[in-house]
Amino acid sequence: MNVNTQFKKGVLELCVLVLIERKDRYGYELAQEVSRHIEVAEGALYPLLRRLVGDGYCTTYLQESSGGPPRKYYRITPQGREYARQTVGEWRSFVAGVARLLEEGEEE
Amino acid sequence: MNKEQFLFRLQKGLAVLPSETRKELMADYEDHFRSGLEHGKSEEEIAFELGSPEELAQEALELQPKTDGHAERAATARADVPSSGIVSSNAGPKRQASFSFVRLVLSVLWNLIAVPLWVSAWALAAGLAAVVLALLASPLLFAADFALNRDWNTAQFYAVLLMLGIGIWVVGPFLDLLRFVARSTGRYALWNARFVMGRN
């Protein structure tokens, strides 16, 4: 597994947390939302979601869908909200740091 | 690759997981296909967007919740023997120790009782050590006494021989006992540390 996929896995967790923080979503919907913005193997979502549930960052419930079996929705927990807040903070400072580094390179 | 092929390959990759976990994950992917088809995608498109079933299976094994010891072992086993098509360069899942404040407090509480017991065990060992050393050193003391006072005491001489005999007789068992106490203390300390830091 190369660095790029490891990196994407970390980012995927962040994206999923932020998406379910905004509203409850089901798996396919999450995959679509993430794919709109970044290129990622959508299948990686499901093991990740299982782990988030296992860690207590979100819970699941079933809800009827129009003409079909019920869908599994993911809802964020207060713990998950806190974790998302931290992770977003880390991400922002990370991105800002990289941006500064790149700019310094251009000045030299 | 169509839905059936994708699910078949995924199922194979997830074989080492507990059946409950595997069924749940398989159901997630089946639901995903169903939603995708409802949105007008083909099975091939959906399978392509999901990614390689073997890589996904590997990821699923690594991302098991930390409490799931069975799957963690399974993932380790799998990381050792990558299935065909996967070159896994990553190490097994992280064995994270989980520090717990509650366990720390518990540990402190019973150590209030246990530590004095260990101290008395060592005090006893130190006392026995003094006795054994005195027994073994008695001929030296006797010789020193004789050298200084030039006063031969036959009864004392036999007493010293007897003490030396007893000393030689008990020194082996005493060393065994000392080793035992030392090892037990070490194990007890290690066990405590593991208890506080989590079983792993």
Side-chain angles (χ1 to χ4, degrees):
Chain A
M1 190 160 301
N2 59 37
V3 175
N4 200 23
T5 50
Q6 289 286 12
F7 179 73
K8 276 187 182 168
K9 265 159 71 176
V11 174
L12 188 60
E13 183 187 71
L14 172 70
C15 294
V16 166
L17 280 168
V18 168
L19 286 173
I20 58 173
E21 197 187 7
R22 288 182 194 153
K23 68 176 179 121
D24 298 357
R25 293 174 198 262
Y26 62 99
Y28 183 81
E29 193 185 1
L30 277 170
Q32 293 302 103
E33 274 305 307
V34 173
S35 293
R36 265 182 47 208
H37 304 283
I38 54 176
E39 193 187 304
V40 65
E42 291 177 5
L45 272 179
Y46 296 102
L48 172 69
L49 284 166
R50 261 190 69 77
R51 207 206 63 218
L52 290 176
V53 171
D55 287 348
Y57 295 142
C58 62
T59 55
T60 62
Y61 62 94
L62 291 176
Q63 188 167 298
E64 298 300 320
S65 62
S66 51
R71 283 177 178 142
K72 186 153 94 179
Y73 276 79
Y74 295 86
R75 175 193 288 142
I76 200 157
T77 61
Q79 249 176 304
R81 225 172 266 283
E82 174 58 24
Y83 181 60
R85 198 187 57 75
Q86 273 177 23
T87 317
V88 169
E90 280 167 24
W91 170 258
R92 292 229 161 97
S93 74
F94 175 77
V95 170
V98 174
R100 272 198 308 276
L101 184 147
L102 293 177
E103 274 164 30
E104 272 178 24
E106 278 161 17
E107 282 161 16
E108 272 167 24
Chain B
M1 184 173 28
N2 63 25
K3 175 181 167 183
E4 204 180 321
Q5 289 164 328
F6 179 92
L7 292 177
F8 176 74
R9 280 165 64 179
L10 187 67
Q11 173 112 35
K12 254 190 4 192
L14 297 176
V16 291
L17 283 181
S19 70
E20 196 59 33
T21 312
R22 188 176 61 240
K23 277 183 201 152
E24 278 177 34
L25 265 174
M26 291 302 294
D28 284 340
Y29 288 102
E30 278 170 45
D31 287 349
H32 187 94
F33 269 102
R34 207 184 53 237
S35 298
L37 290 171
E38 280 170 17
H39 283 77
K41 285 186 186 164
S42 72
E43 288 186 1
E44 281 72 15
E45 266 177 279
I46 300 166
F48 176 77
E49 284 170 355
L50 281 172
S52 145
E54 284 78 19
E55 272 173 32
L56 293 176
Q58 179 72 30
E59 235 162 81
L61 300 191
E62 282 163 21
L63 280 185
Q64 277 303 292
K66 279 156 212 142
T67 48
D68 197 338
H70 177 83
E72 208 172 283
R73 279 195 300 283
T76 316
R78 206 189 143 78
D80 295 341
V81 189
S83 77
S84 58
I86 314 172
V87 181
S88 97
S89 58
N90 52 328
K94 288 160 230 129
R95 293 198 145 263
Q96 283 189 345
S98 52
F99 171 80
S100 146
F101 186 69
V102 176
R103 287 200 296 257
L104 177 68
V105 171
L106 273 176
S107 170
V108 167
L109 281 179
W110 80 56
N111 272 307
L112 286 177
I113 299 167
V115 168
L117 289 176
W118 284 109
V119 170
S120 45
W122 278 98
L124 187 67
L128 284 174
V131 172
V132 173
L133 278 177
L135 287 172
L136 290 175
S138 56
L140 289 176
L141 294 173
F142 179 75
D145 183 38
F146 180 71
L148 289 174
N149 300 323
R150 300 278 150 196
D151 180 20
W152 180 262
N153 183 332
T154 308
Q156 220 175 41
F157 175 72
Y158 284 116
V160 163
L161 273 188
L162 186 67
M163 282 164 77
L164 181 63
I166 294 172
I168 291 171
W169 182 51
V170 298
V171 71
F174 170 73
L175 286 178
D176 284 344
L177 179 77
L178 198 63
R179 227 170 278 144
F180 174 75
V181 173
R183 209 174 295 155
S184 310
T185 311
R187 279 208 195 121
Y188 175 76
L190 193 65
W191 180 82
N192 263 285
R194 280 198 185 144
F195 177 79
V196 173
M197 296 311 295
R199 294 284 162 186
N200 291 335

